[in-house]
Amino acid sequence: MKLGSKMLLAITIATVCLLAVACGKEQNNASGISASQPASDTNQNAVILFQDAAIYVEKDDEMVYSSKAAIAENVQWLNETKIATRASDGKERNFAKIVSSDGKSYWIQDVFVADKAVPGIILGSDTVLYRKADLASPAGKVLPENTLIAVHPAGSTGVFSQISAYLPNDKALPVIQRLYVKNTQVSTETDEVRSLQLYSIALTQTNPVNKRELLSSALESGRRFTDLIQAAIDKLDGKSVSTDASTERSFADFSATGNINSDNVNVRDLPDEVNGKVVSTLSDSQYLVIEKRTNQQYTVEGVSDYWYFSQEENGWIFGGFINLK
């Protein structure tokens, strides 16, 4: 009997110890401190889809303009999105959090960035878009040659590349998210992407020295776009280039702020009420930050004024609709 009692006691003690160990492991796992389950890195490579896309910092629950990002720029996607108010106009937008090339974190409107992507180029003219990776599912749209895009490797196949893009001048479908094009129409070669990126940035510059430097760097970066880039350099040098001079309007840097003085005011991609396409509209009293102004005044509906460019709005607004501060 004594021996049986001792064995029973030993078994009881062992059982209690095993239960205590098991509970301890369960508690550690519930607390997330198990060494076998480290936190995953949510940072992903992403691509900016629009030249001079505005990036923001969050202050007092609003998104305040901070700087701008270059088209085809590689950034880190932090897997954090939110709906927030843009300070400049009080309107809600969808934002995504990124880490820019300067190592700092910012917010950007989600239509201007593509996650899990690498930069790419559309090579063929009138490249057909497809809704699915299937030749029988065209999207009813084509992309122009030399469009900078984002390519999603994980969604691509042996025949198709999955892409995203932002086309500000296309009113029917400006935002392309994870549609497909044939692989033969796409390049993700680093030198080619860099060359076209520098060329695209150069076209936005008003300082001729900056523009020339960018165009020269674009020539050095790749050979595919030599003719395109050389034509821009010849134009800068004043050589004969086939252009419609009647539609060209010069402008310069100009720093100011103001408010819209009417409702449904058009924002255009060019400072021209005839040739400039409407990209968006502004509301009465909306606040503007202005970065550029045409070098001369133009007359619209009997009113003479300058055209002003706002980076946040990605377009030009006629001065007759702005009260400058």
Side-chain angles (χ1 to χ4, degrees), residues 141-272:
K141 180 177 176 58
V142 295
L143 288 179
E145 186 177 10
N146 301 336
T147 300
L148 284 162
I149 60 173
V151 179
H152 304 278
S156 300
T157 70
V159 177
F160 289 92
S161 292
Q162 188 183 57
I163 70 163
S164 292
Y166 183 79
L167 308 175
N169 296 332
D170 191 324
K171 301 304 292 182
L173 187 65
V175 181
I176 296 171
Q177 293 182 326
R178 286 178 164 77
L179 297 183
Y180 295 87
V181 296
K182 291 180 181 178
N183 285 339
T184 54
Q185 304 298 305
V186 174
S187 172
T188 56
E189 290 292 329
T190 302
D191 291 346
E192 294 178 356
V193 172
R194 181 61 171 167
S195 179
L196 189 59
Q197 179 199 38
L198 292 171
Y199 168 79
S200 300
I201 296 172
L203 296 186
T204 68
Q205 301 298 302
T206 58
N207 185 311
V209 176
N210 293 343
K211 180 174 287 191
R212 178 180 296 282
E213 182 69 21
L214 285 163
L215 290 171
S216 297
S217 297
L219 270 181
E220 296 171 1
S221 295
R223 300 180 61 85
R224 179 181 287 274
F225 306 106
T226 297
D227 292 344
L228 183 69
I229 299 167
Q230 189 60 55
I233 293 175
D234 290 344
K235 182 178 178 180
L236 191 62
D237 290 339
K239 296 180 181 179
S240 178
V241 179
S242 179
T243 60
D244 183 1
S246 65
T247 65
E248 295 182 359
R249 296 185 173 184
S250 62
F251 53 88
D253 291 340
F254 181 83
S255 180
T257 59
N259 292 90
I260 297 299
N261 60 24
S262 186
D263 208 10
N264 295 320
V265 172
N266 291 328
V267 180
R268 299 180 182 271
D269 65 341
L270 296 173
D272 190 322

